[in-house]
């Protein structure tokens, strides 16, 4: 996976992903949708995220364990699968930690392209962990963002993001506080990992006309924004039933109004309606984004070697004999 | 997987699985349970089956497509995973088509050991597809079944099962009708695949004292028994919320009484209470069985090579740099 992505380069992949995502969001009603299935424990969450259209089924396994980095492990790892709806057979099984970071950034940029002010040029990036560089590049591509203001409580993480983003045509600023990063920024992206009700942004920091891209709050009890900010913003979500449980809007009453992204992309609901409006993309990550990413990967990778994870007995009713009877045997899976 | 199972042999694995399943069913309240998440289409169903205790998380991907055998493909293929609850990291990813057949048979035999008459010696096996031989051997091991009466509408499938079961110490009879197979049998196992409301057993065929092991009816609209049989039987299920949707009892009123298997195994609810009682194990397959099977496999296989499906950047916050920045790089996953 790493070799494949390196060969393509991050920006071409992000560009392609943004296009795939747009196309799939536009045909939203064709999908069989469900909120992801989460298993919570003291240290984190493990989730399964399935979705299907009439041809393809996909799911992703993904965790979220904020304490992992202290063990030298990643907060989020993932893998996933595409399967054929007609037969139920797997078509592609792959690592998705990298794809998750790419598709999250591509979705953020896609949303911002309809929600941020068209002349936006600067973005504050609060939380410079594993997702940060992907976000910066996606916003450069989709919106023409040219300045990134980095901030993280961990100076090493900030230096890491800065170093990785050098040479990508962005003006990079390491801020000394959240306030310094946010003040005057056109867009504010929050990508922090604590599994708590954090308040990364307080109401006094947010300026009229800013677009907020909140990607770090993504499970029950994990939020990043003060509820007064959410109350002031027009809020766009991916899939309302899931976002009510997991998003920033878990802080809000059940009738707090939100709009699903696909409706904005289709023009059924407005994007930004005024220069001074505060817009919020309350992103938690939805299965459709993984579906798009897996399909995109399949196209980039071409048809690889056959999956040897599925038994293929010569007689499909003879599973037992294919293993335990001499001379029956397996074919190699096609 | 095939080589591993062949090395161990089917009967030792089944014996071990029965023990693992009993141990896990006995600690049922320790598990985080949920009905499986199903995606239905015209040709079949694709399901995700997650479960966790405080240490381990498992899930299985599994399909059910009755038309697949006409394409030379199997009705059911599966793969699954064990993960570490503390970090969310995968521990084991593997094929589960074979494990599914093994654990289904082991669960059936475990249930029958408390529900069939102790002196049971003969079993009718209706439907001799991919599951059949596993069922026959599990019942031999757990109950001392010595005679298997086979019936299938497909004579080739019947001959296949007979040939595979030769040499396993069982008296094998190919019946000419369901009635011939069932009459006088102590146990009747139905393992048919049609995704319809089939009536494999009619009330006139069932005899007092028989134990019915119905494993083929396992999704909405897919049943094998006439509802009058279910009404007469004392019915044991794996996990009631899932069985109400998927089992034979989907034909019954919502207040039709059932008992969960773990309660019988713990002695909290009675097994068979009379010689003439008709008992029914209305099995649909539950995530706990896959959990037990994966744990059992892990013990048999020993610690294999590291899983290279998860990126392991030198700096866990530097996912981007590990792929796209020269000189940062991955460690190989431990």
């Amino acid at each position: 996976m790493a070799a494949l992505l390196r060969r393509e380069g991050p920006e071409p992949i992000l560009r392609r992903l943004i296009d795939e995502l747009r196309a799939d969001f536009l045909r939203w009603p064709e999908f069989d949708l469900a909120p992801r299935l989460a298993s919570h424990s003291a240290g984190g969450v493990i989730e399964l995220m399935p979705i299907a259209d009439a041809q393809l089924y996909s799911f992703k396994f993904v965790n979220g364990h904020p304490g992992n980095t202290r063990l030298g492990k990643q907060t989020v790892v993932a893998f996933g699968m595409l399967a054929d709806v007609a037969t139920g057979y797997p078509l592609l099984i792959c690592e998705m930690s990298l794809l998750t970071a790419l598709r999250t950034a591509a979705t953020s940029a896609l949303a911002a392209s309809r929600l941020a002010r068209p002349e936006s040029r600067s973005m504050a990036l609060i939380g410079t962990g594993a997702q940060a560089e992907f976000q910066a590049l996606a916003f450069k591509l989709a919106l023409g963002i040219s300045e990134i203001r980095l901030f993280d409580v961990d100076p090493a993480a900030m230096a890491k993001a800065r170093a990785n983003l050098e040479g990508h045509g962005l003006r990079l600023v390491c801020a000394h506080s959240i306030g310094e990063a946010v003040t005057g920024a056109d867009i504010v992206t929050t990508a922090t990992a604590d599994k708590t009700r954090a308040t990364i942004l307080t109401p006094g920091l947010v300026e009229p006309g800013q677009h907020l891209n909140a990607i770090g709050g993504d499970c029950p009890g994990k939020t990043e924004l003060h509820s007064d900010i959410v109350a002031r913003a027009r809020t766009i979500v991916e899939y309302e039933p899931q976002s009510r449980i997991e998003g920033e809007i878990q802080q809000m009453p059940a009738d707090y109004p939100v709009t699903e992204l696909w409706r904005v992309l289709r023009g059924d609901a407005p994007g930004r309606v005024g220069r001074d409006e505060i817009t919020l993309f309350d992103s938690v990550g939805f299965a459709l984004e993984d579906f798009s990413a897996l399909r995109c990967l399949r196209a980039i990778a071409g048809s690889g070697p056959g999956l040897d994870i599925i038994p293929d007995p010569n007689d499909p009713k003879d599973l037992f004999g294919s293993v335990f009877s001499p001379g029956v045997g397996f074919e190699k899976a096609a």
Side-chain angles (χ1 to χ4, degrees), chain A:
Chain A
M1 177 68 79
L4 186 72
L5 298 180
R6 201 178 292 128
R7 189 188 79 199
E8 298 286 315
E11 297 193 24
I13 294 172
L14 282 166
R15 199 184 302 277
R16 195 158 171 171
L17 264 176
I18 291 168
D19 290 342
E20 286 274 351
L21 282 162
R22 185 185 293 109
D24 283 336
F25 271 105
L26 289 176
R27 61 189 189 89
W28 179 271
E30 296 174 23
F31 287 92
D32 183 11
L33 310 172
R36 56 186 160 196
L37 204 55
S39 174
H40 294 277
S41 58
V45 62
I46 296 179
E47 297 170 327
L48 295 175
M49 304 172 66
I51 192 169
D53 68 7
Q55 282 76 45
L56 291 171
Y57 171 96
S58 79
F59 82 85
K60 182 170 77 173
F61 163 96
V62 62
N63 77 312
H65 284 70
N68 271 3
T69 52
R70 288 193 295 274
L71 309 169
K73 292 182 186 291
Q74 296 169 87
T75 303
V76 174
V77 299
F79 82 91
M81 206 193 72
L82 267 183
D84 176 26
V85 165
T87 63
Y89 269 49
L91 298 170
L92 174 76
I93 298 177
C94 71
E95 195 286 318
M96 287 192 74
S97 309
L98 293 159
L99 277 185
T100 295
L102 286 160
R103 66 76 158 148
T104 301
T107 305
S108 287
L110 178 63
S113 70
R114 301 298 288 269
L115 298 173
R117 285 172 301 192
E119 71 278 19
S120 295
R121 289 298 170 267
S122 62
M123 177 163 86
L125 192 42
I126 312 301
T128 63
Q131 309 291 314
E133 300 90 340
F134 300 93
Q135 291 280 334
L137 293 184
F139 277 79
K140 185 191 99 168
L141 286 169
L143 287 94
I145 292 299
S146 56
E147 178 178 291
I148 303 288
R149 297 131 168 247
L150 305 163
F151 181 77
D152 199 294
V153 291
D154 173 1
M158 195 153 42
K160 174 262 335 183
R162 182 182 189 133
N164 282 332
L165 287 170
E166 292 285 357
H168 284 280
L170 290 163
R171 190 173 119 79
L172 302 166
V173 181
C174 288
H176 298 89
S177 67
I178 293 176
E180 185 188 329
V182 166
T183 303
D186 298 308
I187 297 171
V188 179
T189 289
T190 53
T192 61
D194 273 347
K195 197 183 177 182
T196 53
R197 301 239 173 207
T199 307
I200 308 301
L201 291 186
T202 48
L205 287 174
V206 177
E207 298 171 7
Q210 276 180 334
H211 171 61
L212 311 180
N213 174 46
I215 69 163
D218 62 357
C219 74
K222 181 166 177 252
T223 58
E224 294 182 305
L225 306 186
H226 191 289
S227 61
D228 288 354
I229 296 176
V230 184
R232 275 171 64 195
R234 197 152 65 80
T235 299
I236 309 299
V237 298
E238 290 140 314
Y239 176 53
E240 185 175 341
Q242 182 177 309
S243 300
R244 292 274 176 204
I245 302 167
E246 302 178 355
E248 295 299 326
I249 59 169
Q250 67 185 273
Q251 307 178 72
M252 309 304 286
D255 62 350
Y256 170 79
V258 300
T259 304
E260 288 184 335
L261 177 59
W262 69 280
R263 302 182 66 84
V264 175
L265 294 174
R266 276 162 67 120
D268 299 346
R272 167 172 292 271
V273 292
R275 280 196 53 77
D276 289 341
E277 188 179 40
I278 294 169
T279 51
L280 167 63
F281 181 46
D282 180 9
S283 174
V284 296
F286 183 57
L288 177 59
E289 297 152 32
D290 302 308
F291 180 98
S292 305
L294 284 166
R295 232 174 36 152
C296 190
L297 176 76
R298 193 171 174 224
I300 291 171
S303 55
L307 270 176
D308 197 17
I309 201 165
I310 300 301
D312 189 15
N314 295 335
D315 169 2
K317 292 185 181 177
D318 195 3
L319 185 62
F320 183 91
S322 69
V323 179
F324 296 117
S325 295
V328 175
F330 280 110
E331 287 167 8
K332 166 109 174 135

